[in-house]
Amino acid sequence: RGRSVESALLEAEKIFREIAAHMNSTFLAVLNAVVSGIFRRMFASIEVTGIETVAEYAKKHPLVLAPSHRSYFDFLIRSWLFYSNHLVPPHIAARENMGFGPFGFIFRRAGAFFLRRSFADPLYKEVFRRYVGHLVKEGFTQEFFIEGGRSRTGKTLPPRLGMLSWNVEAFLDCARRDLFFVPIAITYERLVEEGAMVEELEGGEKRQESTLGLLRARKFLQRRFGSVFVNFGEPISLAEALGARRELLASG
């Protein structure tokens, strides 16, 4: 684009800081205490199946969690479950709209890394892909919502394949023996955001995430929302799925 290498490198570093998570063990310990109290107040129970199997796989291989998306509480619940089971919480792909105010600072230290809505900028796309490749190569657990966004109706949305394909490409480019994808289903007896979702389904505009909106949401802490059900599926081996085609795809 007619720019110097030095200029492109400076922009790439700026993009990297925009994307990257900065997981911090002290923040995780504090957040675990805070979130545990919130969950006890809001939910009657959190019923979990399959996490023991996932924990065994996590000791040997990097994982990519591919959950359904129903609520803003989804990623908090899964990270809390990992931390409670003595597992390092996942690095979570989050839209840039979740990086607002001081909560963006907190989310980033809880493991969130942020992506723009558009990948039209080729330099941004390349830096983001390299970051995903770094997570795979170094064996970090990742998480991204396979549906891309929250379902407003309870029906599963068609999968978005961008993050999936970049993880496959990263695996082909590195010496990892295997990479396991974990399908996860999460359902709620009653959604915290059900009122806002009904408004959107009736034609209302989606409210933008903001610090003020999150502070106003503290009123929900006085309500009860029944139980949450989280089902971790059997991890799927990418090496097994690719089989003999791995070398051919890697060379291509």
Side-chain angles (χ1 to χ4, degrees):
R1 294 181 293 173
R3 299 176 54 179
S4 67
V5 173
E6 291 78 11
S7 174
L9 282 172
L10 287 173
E11 184 179 349
E13 289 178 7
K14 181 180 179 182
I15 291 170
F16 170 76
R17 290 192 294 271
E18 174 189 333
I19 294 169
H22 299 295
M23 190 177 284
N24 181 284
S25 58
T26 302
F27 263 83
L28 289 175
V30 173
L31 285 173
N32 178 65
V34 172
V35 169
S36 295
I38 291 174
F39 289 167
R40 282 194 297 270
R41 180 182 291 270
M42 294 182 66
F43 302 118
S45 64
I46 298 178
E47 308 293 337
V48 186
T49 58
I51 195 168
E52 298 83 6
T53 300
V54 171
E56 289 302 313
Y57 277 86
K59 295 175 183 177
K60 303 175 184 177
H61 302 284
L63 304 178
V64 179
L65 311 181
S68 58
H69 194 12
R70 297 294 177 266
S71 168
Y72 285 128
F73 281 86
D74 292 352
F75 74 92
L76 287 174
I77 290 172
R78 278 186 299 274
S79 293
W80 174 77
L81 286 172
F82 263 63
Y83 194 89
S84 300
N85 284 272
H86 311 291
L87 300 171
V88 178
H91 281 60
I92 306 166
R95 290 288 187 187
E96 60 183 350
N97 60 308
M98 294 300 295
F100 58 89
F103 295 99
F105 176 88
I106 295 171
F107 296 154
R108 197 181 293 273
R109 277 151 185 79
F113 63 96
F114 296 96
L115 62 154
R116 296 176 184 173
R117 196 168 292 276
S118 170
F119 282 80
D121 180 350
L123 181 58
Y124 176 83
K125 183 177 181 179
E126 184 62 21
V127 173
F128 189 88
R129 290 177 63 183
R130 294 297 183 96
Y131 183 74
V132 172
H134 169 75
L135 295 178
V136 172
K137 181 180 178 182
E138 297 301 322
F140 291 102
T141 297
Q142 283 182 64
E143 177 182 319
F144 67 87
F145 295 110
I146 191 69
E147 296 170 279
R150 287 180 301 156
S151 171
R152 267 59 172 179
T153 63
K155 294 182 179 180
T156 301
L157 302 175
R160 300 290 185 90
L161 302 181
M163 284 291 295
L164 183 66
S165 64
W166 293 335
N167 272 279
V168 172
E169 290 171 5
F171 175 69
L172 293 172
D173 289 340
C174 73
R176 281 275 167 197
R177 288 194 300 112
D178 213 339
L179 179 67
F180 284 83
F181 288 84
V182 184
I184 306 171
I186 184 167
T187 56
Y188 298 78
E189 282 191 337
R190 181 184 174 193
L191 281 173
V192 178
E193 308 97 320
E194 64 181 10
M197 287 187 174
V198 169
E199 288 182 14
E200 290 178 34
L201 289 172
E202 291 177 344
E205 292 187 6
K206 179 182 180 296
R207 298 175 186 175
Q208 292 299 314
E209 292 78 7
S210 66
T211 303
L212 181 59
L214 195 55
L215 291 174
R216 286 174 175 170
R218 67 184 185 277
K219 63 184 179 181
F220 293 111
L221 297 179
Q222 309 302 320
R223 303 179 187 175
R224 300 287 285 177
F225 294 91
S227 295
V228 183
F229 303 90
V230 186
N231 184 11
F232 290 84
E234 186 71 22
I236 301 168
S237 165
L238 180 56
E240 185 177 319
L242 294 175
R245 293 171 294 177
R246 179 175 180 177
E247 290 186 10
L248 177 63
L249 291 169
S251 63

